[in-house]
Amino acid sequence: MEESGPRGGYPPDYARDEIPTISGYPGGQTAPTPQAIDFTPGHLLGCASGELGLCRFLEDRGHTLVVTSDKEGADSTLDRELPETDVVISQSFWAAYLTPERIAAGSRLKLAITAGIGSDHVDLPTAIAHGMTVAEVTFSNSISVSEHAVTQILTLVHNYMSAHEWVTTKKGWNIADAVSRAYDLEGIDVGVVGSGRIGQAVLRRLKPFDVTLHYCDVHQPGKEFEEEPELTWHPDPRWLASSVAVLSIHTPLHPQTQNLFNDELIGAMGRGSYIVNTARALIVNRDSVVLALNSGQLAGYAGDVRYPQPPPPDHPWPTMPYEAMTPHVSGSALSAQARYAADTREILECWLDGRPIRPEYLIVEGGGLAGTGASSYTVAG
Ligand code: NDP
């Protein structure tokens, strides 16, 4: 679970009184359908004190909910509780890494739920061997992440961070300095790696910017993409990298994507390219990014993911030039928190009542990859 709560205290009033009701997603998947919720949509739920709004529901059913952000170190609360735990609910923002050792220590562990998307913090081969079910809340924050990725693409290309700094910390009106690295996105070749739920949403949002769009995915393009004449499919990430100036990463982290963006792949991009990574930090080589920004091979890097999370104080990315990083927030807007809290409750209700969990939420079940996991993940064999 994310850090304990807002350091400045809970807002006495939220900035907005309500959030829009979303009933479904592109492609027809419905929004979460729990039998009930015990929280106010639009309030903070994803931090430890927000408890995903699950406490009353679980306690009414006679279960104990332990909520903690203490997950590292020899005597962490997570490690102390694991032997007595049936279900671990974690977020990728403040991930409870379920390593082979931890899964072995959790002899009662049956279910791992990601309250968000991306289950790479669970060692999937060990979870399979242990007979566990792994589920995540597919689509709950996909649109949130796509909006954040587009924001960061524009931020980098327009050199927004530096211009903002001239107004705030530098107290200047230095227009020539502020625009000396600023460009328009219009006319540029932009691509995504991974054209799943988030990647497709990014492509759709970028289309009105009059850019040339590209994407790379393992499988053949879907019908809706074949009908899109301005969209180019590249089966190999190297072809994509050499064709675009802006590249946004939207694959899961799994053996085929780990360390994919190394010196060689970043070197295949044109000089002065940009990378945005809201997927997982280990998909890019940490030091290759620093090197490429310093040499000018990359003109900018943004995103919101690090490894591990939270990152150590000596992580090089906060001090590298031309970065526009955020902490892991893209999937945790208050709008998204309402959905992933409701989705988590839906999964728990199904699991406790012995009803099937929706296939789109499943990553591992029945001794193998299942549902969304079977199409989007691989396990090292
Ligand atoms: P989806 O499963 O919908 O899409 C993933 C896509 O990646 C699929 O189209 C899949 O292809 C493709 N893919 C998998 N492996 C490769 C590969 N080797 N090369 C090219 N494409 C590949 O996932 P989402 O779009 O919902 O999410 C993507 C990732 O974003 C998540 O796994 C998570 O890590 C990250 N994320 C980050 C968040 C944040 O807050 N920053 C929040 C939510 C997600 P196919 O299906 O054809 O095999």
Side-chain angles (χ1 to χ4, degrees), residues 26 139 142 146 190-204 213-226 231-235 240 247-252 254 257 279 375-376:
F139 244 135
S142 304
S146 71
V190 185
V192 304
V193 187
S195 61
R197 293 164 184 85
I198 299 173
Q200 287 185 30
V202 168
L203 291 169
R204 262 186 248 112
L213 290 172
H214 304 248
Y215 73 105
C216 164
D217 204 295
V218 270
H219 292 116
Q220 288 290 323
K223 194 163 179 294
E224 68 279 16
F225 279 1
E226 283 166 14
L231 192 57
T232 307
W233 174 57
H234 302 268
L240 176 77
L247 199 152
S248 194
I249 303 174
H250 300 293
T251 65
H254 62 108
T257 58
S375 65
S376 291

Side-chain angles (χ1 to χ4, degrees), residues 93 117-118 120 136 139 141-142 145 193-199 216-219 250-254 256-257 278-280 304-305 328-332 372 375-377:
F93 320 111
I117 301 171
D120 47 279
E136 62 185 46
F139 244 135
N141 56 15
S142 304
V145 178
V193 187
S195 61
R197 293 164 184 85
I198 299 173
C216 164
D217 204 295
V218 270
H219 292 116
H250 300 293
T251 65
L253 172 64
H254 62 108
Q256 284 176 2
T257 58
T278 51
R280 286 295 177 265
D304 71 337
V305 283
H328 195 159
V329 294
S330 65
S332 227
T372 293
S375 65
S376 291
Y377 282 81

